[in-house]
Amino acid sequence: MPELPEVETMRRGILGAVGGKVVLVENIRCPKKPITILPSVVNIRRSIVGSTISAIERIGKRVVVVLQDKDNPSQAVNQRKLASKKYLIFEPRMTGLVLVANPPSAEHIRFRMKIGGGDVSEICFWDRRGLGSVQLLDHAKLQDKFGPGKIGADALSITTDNFFHQFHSSRREIKVALLDQKCVAGVGNIYASEMLHAAKINPQQKCSDLKRRQFNRLHHWMLSILNDAIEHEGSTLADGTYRNVLNRDGSYQNSHRVYDRESENCSSCNRSPVIRIVQSQRATFYCKRCQPLKSG
DNA sequence: ATTAATGTTCAGAA
DNA sequence: TTTCTGAACATTAA
């Protein structure tokens, strides 16, 4: 799916919807096997039409539209206000897109929401493979799914200390652990390979073999690469599935040093080809010379 | 016909 | 308790 930079690009793309009022909610088509929409579209429509969008947030690789319940105006006391908030979660998984216009094809539009009063007048969720989901949660359910202990700190805001703490004692391979959203939220398959290459760490190195210095380096490059990718509006791979909210390509794929560059000469050392291996059923790319596996 | 694809989650076993 | 494997979800393009 879109990873953190792609989802952050979606979030920023619909920020103009803040302050707008939801005026219409519908699912456009029902393919044989519809995507997960919970509760039903009818139910979601009943609870959010008339609500005001108070923020657009991101939890790991999910876009969160925060809604202020129409029945509980903002004058209410804080506690009540929190309880009255609703959270519409768009989870793109592998091929989902949050768009404000021009979907790649009419075929796979799954959900549409019209907004009155903001810059953005329509938000739609498009998903070719249909592994994604749209879910409306109240505050309690949100805490239940993403509260403390359920998901790691966000990759953009995790401290070096916490980052070290999450990994150092694990006996898993570092690339596998990086994809575990409970350790750190937002890192996916492309950027895991990229940041390990930048930090010159072998993807098969056990976490517990890595020194504090190496975790500091990895943390540094994680921030650097993710922020750079956000500036480039994410990576649009060869299959062209990921697009920004205006259905335009991202450009960070042009900056990939190892991902999907098997057998090309490593751009760092220029002496060794990029290798492709499989870890946890996912492709990993790295340079044997720049990222040697250290024993013990 | 086969394979792999930016993700998550679950069952079952070591 | 931790970690690993495999499968499932559904679609498409090489």
Side-chain angles (χ1 to χ4, degrees), chain A residues 11 42 77 80 83 101 107 157 162 179 205 213 228 243 292:
Chain A
R11 187 188 77 82
V42 175
V77 291
R80 215 182 146 71
E107 184 78 14
S157 57
N162 189 12
L179 296 182
Q205 200 79 54
R213 229 187 56 255
D228 209 16
R243 306 292 171 84

Side-chain angles (χ1 to χ4, degrees), chain A residues 121-132:
Chain A
S121 64
E122 185 173 309
I123 294 172
C124 79
F125 187 72
W126 179 95
D127 188 354
R128 195 183 60 193
R129 280 168 74 178
L131 302 180

Side-chain angles (χ1 to χ4, degrees), chain A residues 4-284:
Chain A
L4 186 151
E6 290 75 26
V7 177
E8 177 62 16
T9 301
M10 294 174 193
R11 187 188 77 82
R12 294 181 183 192
I14 60 171
L15 269 183
V18 173
K21 192 177 261 204
V22 179
V23 298
L24 180 146
V25 168
E26 59 185 355
N27 60 336
I28 311 306
R29 259 162 201 268
C30 264
K32 295 170 203 161
K33 193 86 179 198
I35 64 162
T36 301
I37 298 182
L38 290 172
S40 67
V41 173
V42 175
N43 235 296
I44 292 178
R45 181 185 301 134
R46 193 160 45 226
S47 46
I48 72 172
V49 166
S51 297
T52 299
I53 296 175
S54 62
I56 312 289
E57 294 172 357
R58 178 179 56 75
I59 298 179
K61 304 173 190 171
R62 300 162 185 86
V63 175
V64 183
V65 177
V66 184
L67 296 146
Q68 182 61 54
D69 198 317
K70 60 204 169 199
D71 299 323
N72 291 274
S74 50
Q75 290 91 332
V77 291
N78 278 352
Q79 196 69 344
R80 215 182 146 71
K81 206 167 149 184
L82 204 62
S84 72
K85 280 189 187 295
K86 295 259 170 62
Y87 304 85
L88 189 64
I89 316 271
F90 292 100
E91 184 174 286
R93 298 252 179 132
M94 291 294 265
T95 54
L97 294 179
V98 174
L99 297 156
V100 300
N102 304 321
S105 69
E107 184 78 14
H108 301 297
I109 301 174
R110 311 294 184 143
F111 182 91
R112 174 152 50 195
M113 185 160 88
K114 285 201 168 134
I115 317 293
D119 294 338
V120 171
S121 64
E122 185 173 309
I123 294 172
C124 79
F125 187 72
W126 179 95
D127 188 354
R128 195 183 60 193
R129 280 168 74 178
L131 302 180
S133 70
V134 178
Q135 293 189 52
L136 184 67
L137 307 178
D138 60 22
H139 194 261
K141 285 218 171 80
L142 188 84
Q143 286 302 108
D144 217 45
K145 289 196 145 190
F146 308 115
K150 303 297 169 66
I151 187 171
D154 192 80
L156 291 183
S157 57
I158 191 169
T159 62
T160 39
D161 282 350
N162 189 12
F163 187 74
F164 175 74
H165 180 75
Q166 290 299 322
F167 293 99
H168 79 95
S169 61
S170 168
R171 270 140 283 136
R172 285 192 291 177
E173 296 172 346
I174 181 63
K175 156 70 159 46
V176 174
L178 277 171
L179 296 182
D180 183 346
Q181 303 297 298
K182 281 187 174 145
C183 296
V184 59
V187 176
N189 207 38
I190 294 176
Y191 299 101
S193 280
E194 292 297 322
M195 67 183 67
L196 286 167
H197 178 258
K200 301 191 187 297
I201 294 171
N202 188 288
Q204 291 180 298
Q205 200 79 54
K206 301 268 186 249
C207 294
S208 52
D209 290 341
L210 295 168
K211 308 288 181 245
R212 174 72 196 223
R213 229 187 56 255
Q214 296 177 288
F215 280 111
N216 289 349
R217 212 162 63 212
L218 184 56
H219 179 258
H220 165 84
W221 284 110
M222 174 172 75
L223 292 177
S224 169
I225 286 174
L226 293 178
N227 281 314
D228 209 16
I230 291 168
E231 282 189 25
H232 287 80
E233 301 197 293
S235 303
T236 297
L237 298 188
D239 75 357
T241 299
Y242 165 74
R243 306 292 171 84
N244 71 15
V245 296
L246 297 177
N247 190 28
R248 304 175 78 95
D249 289 2
S251 63
Y252 193 74
Q253 66 281 4
N254 300 319
S255 302
H256 293 176
R257 309 288 291 270
V258 287
Y259 186 84
D260 208 16
R261 294 193 180 282
E262 184 182 14
S263 78
E264 286 181 35
N265 234 15
C266 168
S267 57
S268 289
C269 66
N270 207 30
R271 295 171 69 182
S272 189
V274 173
I275 307 285
R276 179 188 186 277
I277 60 170
V278 172
Q279 295 174 279
S280 285
Q281 305 171 287
R282 315 293 307 276
T284 299

